Amino acid sequence: KNQVEQSPQSLIILEGKNCTLQCNYTVSPFSNLRWYKQDTGRGPVSLTIMTFSENTKSNGRYTATLDADTKQSSLHITASQLSDSASYICVVGSNFGNEKLTFGTGTRLTIIP
Amino acid sequence: GAVVSQHPSRVICKSGTSVKIECRSLDFQATTMFWYRQFPKQSLMLMATSNEGSKATYEQGVEKDKFLINHASLTLSTLTVTSAHPEDSSFYICSASKSMQPQHFGDGTRLSIL
C-alpha cells in the first residue's frame, strides 16, 4: 500500500529559528515528490517538486532534499517568519499518465514571536 | 504560474439542497481535473478524477450519484453535491493538470450543511 508518513505531527518554534520537517514514503512507481504549504482554509500551494534524479531543491527560505534510495525527504525552513505558520504536506506522485498523488498527513508548524 | 480558481469559496445551506462547486483552470487547458475532500486535521482524500469529455472515475467508497462531476471543457469542471446532509460538510478542493504535468490546486470550498 502506498504511504507517506511525516514527522513531527506538529512543531512550535520561535520566529527567526530554523526547522526541518521529515517525510518517509513507500510509493511505487515513483514519479516525483512535492512539498506543499497549506494555510488554514486554503488550498495547498506548491513549494518544491523533485524528480527521481534530483536530491535538493530550493525555493527562497525553503530547501527540500530527496534520498530516493532510502525514500526519505526533508524540508528545511530557514529564518522562520510568522507567516510560515501553516501545515506542510509531503506528497508523492506516481504514474506518468493520470497522475496519482499520495498525501502525507502534514506537519502543523506554528511560529511564535 | 498555473492558476486554478474555485468558486464559491464558502457555502452554507440547508440539509437537502444541492450545491454546485466550480473549478476553472485560468491560464492553461486542463486535460484532467481532480476533486478532493479534506476533513479537519486530515490530509486530502481523492474523490474522483475526470478527463475532459468523459465520465469521471470515482474512488472506492465515493458515491457517484451523490457527487456529480461534469468536465465539459478543458477549463471547467463542476462538482455537485446532491441532497447534501450535515455529514457532507467538508473542505472540497479541486486540482487541474495538463497531460504529464503536475497538478495545480484551487483554493478550496468550505461547505457547511445545516
Side-chain angles (χ1 to χ4, degrees), chain A residues 38 42-43 96 100 103-104, chain B residues 32 38 43 51 59 100 107:
Chain A
Q38 185 177 23
R42 306 292 297 273
F96 294 91
K100 192 85 170 181
F103 290 80
Chain B
T32 307
Q38 186 178 30
S43 190
N51 292 302
E59 295 298 300
M100 306 292 283
D107 230 5

Side-chain angles (χ1 to χ4, degrees), chain B residues 11-37:
Chain B
V11 180
I12 302 173
C13 59
K14 293 181 180 179
S15 182
T17 57
S18 292
V19 179
K20 180 184 283 188
I21 302 170
E22 291 187 349
C23 179
R24 295 180 185 272
S25 56
L26 297 185
D27 54 356
F28 68 101
Q29 293 188 322
T31 49
T32 307
M33 287 188 169
F34 305 81
W35 287 95
Y36 295 85
R37 181 166 51 182

